[in-house]
Every structure is written in structure tokens, then in C-alpha cells.
Amino acid sequence: MRNLSAVLVAVTATAVLPAGLASANLITNGSFEQDAVGSTTITGFAQQSNIDAVIVTPAVSDGSQALQLSAATTSSSRGRYGSFVNDFGSGVGVDSTLLTIGQEYRITGDIQQISTEGNSYINVNQEVNGPGGRSFPAIAVVEGEAGVIKSLDETFVYNGGRLRLALQLDGFGGGTGTVTPVARFDNFTLTVVPEPASLALVGAGGLALLGRRRSA
């Protein structure tokens, strides 16, 4: 009886949420499951610079795969060696028509740096048009750490500009031969944060359905 009530409440909660407030992930291929291991073209993400970028197994935190960035770097070279960008404003990974100006969203994801060389980052930026022109201030920046899974979890209000999720690996030579920085990324989500009024509707709908069940 209790189990049936729980199911009915869950169904009611889904039914009373206003359109656009479902908790579906808006990021295309956020867990990197859509491409075969060994792929260098990643569905939903645009490659920004020359790097060995492949989907690998095992996953960092979700599914069976993850995105790996790696690049051999000589001691005489330095600088950015790779970046994959999910630029929501251009429709690469998220159709911008799915986003609502003034709506609060939550973005999450995980990063694990495999090597001790180089620096890996998750960068989330949102475009702002001001007196000085366009800028992309950071909503959140998470830096990878060798052997540790670190997580991005940030909420923000969408302002209508481009929203960028950049997965980056920077490397530079250590002065003695070649180094190979490696980092892996996984489990990225972008979901709507329900407003308090919507949550109240969910609660009221569940209580009403339970009341009907008890009186039946």
C-alpha cells in the first residue's frame, strides 16, 4: 500500500510540473556514450584545438565511457593543447531555444586528471553585453587534480547570451624531454531548477492524490 502511494505521488509530481520544468538533461551526450571508443569527433562537442581527444573506458563517474584529452608535449613548447567546447548559443550541444531567459539552471560534471603533468579545467562562461562590448565572465571554474575526481555543481540564471562549457587541458614541457598530460571528463548535465511555486504544486498534487486513495 505504501509503495503504491509513493508511485502515485511520483506520477503526480511529474504531471503537475509546468512545461519546460522537467528534469531532463539538456546537454547532448554529456556522459560521452554516443561515440565509439577511439573516436576523435565527439557528438555534441566542438573541438577547438589540435589534440588527441578520444572517448575511453572506463568512465570517470557515469556510464561506461568518458572523454579523454591528452597530448605529447616537448620541453621546448608550451601553451594550450586542447579544448572541447559545448557552446549552447551556437546549437552545438544544446538548442538555445530550450533555454529561457531569467530561468535558473543547474550545471554539473566531473573531471579527473590522470597525469601529474599539465593542467586540466572545466570552465563555464556566460556571455554578457556591456558598455565595453561582449565579455564571457566565468560562472564556475574547476581545476583537475591527478588521481582525484572533482565535481562541478553550479546554479545560475540564464541571461540570453551564449553559454559555454569548455573542457580544457593545458600543457607545457618540463624542461627534460616529452611530457604527456592526460585528463578525463564525464557526466555533464544541464537541468532546470524548479521555482518554489512549482514545488508547491508538486506537493499539493501528491497530497490530493493520496487523499483520494485513502477515501476510496
Side-chain angles (χ1 to χ4, degrees):
M1 194 70 164
R2 290 180 179 176
N3 289 339
L4 177 59
S5 298
V7 171
L8 291 174
V9 170
V11 170
T12 304
T14 303
V16 300
L17 277 175
L21 287 183
S23 59
N25 183 14
L26 298 176
I27 294 180
T28 299
N29 196 22
S31 288
F32 307 105
E33 304 295 317
Q34 293 187 17
D35 304 290
V37 172
S39 299
T40 55
T41 300
I42 311 300
T43 299
F45 288 78
Q47 189 171 0
Q48 298 296 297
S49 54
N50 185 22
I51 191 171
D52 173 26
V54 297
I55 287 180
V56 299
T57 300
V60 172
S61 58
D62 183 67
S64 62
Q65 300 183 159
L67 174 66
Q68 176 172 297
L69 304 185
S70 60
T73 309
T74 66
S75 59
S76 61
S77 57
R78 60 187 298 119
R80 180 170 298 172
Y81 279 82
S83 177
F84 265 70
V85 175
N86 189 322
D87 191 342
F88 304 155
S90 65
V92 174
V94 173
D95 182 350
S96 59
T97 61
L98 296 176
L99 304 179
T100 302
I101 297 175
Q103 173 66 53
E104 186 177 13
Y105 292 87
R106 178 188 181 197
I107 189 165
T108 66
D110 297 308
I111 179 175
Q112 182 180 31
Q113 187 156 322
I114 307 302
S115 66
T116 56
E117 301 100 352
N119 299 292
S120 55
Y121 303 92
I122 304 170
N123 286 312
V124 185
N125 307 81
Q126 186 170 198
E127 183 179 26
V128 173
N129 290 302
R134 293 185 307 167
S135 62
F136 286 89
I139 295 171
V141 178
V142 178
E143 183 174 355
E145 181 180 344
V148 177
I149 299 175
K150 300 182 74 173
S151 295
L152 162 75
D153 191 341
E154 193 73 26
T155 59
F156 64 95
V157 175
Y158 179 59
N159 64 14
R162 279 179 290 174
L163 183 65
R164 288 179 171 173
L165 167 61
L167 313 178
Q168 298 177 201
L169 175 64
D170 298 340
F172 54 88
T176 54
T178 299
V179 297
T180 306
V182 179
R184 293 177 182 172
F185 302 84
D186 200 9
N187 197 23
F188 288 91
T189 68
L190 176 66
T191 55
V192 172
V193 177
E195 297 176 0
S198 300
L199 294 176
L201 283 173
V202 171
L207 289 174
L209 196 59
L210 280 178
R212 290 177 188 173
R213 179 66 186 173
R214 286 173 180 169
S215 62

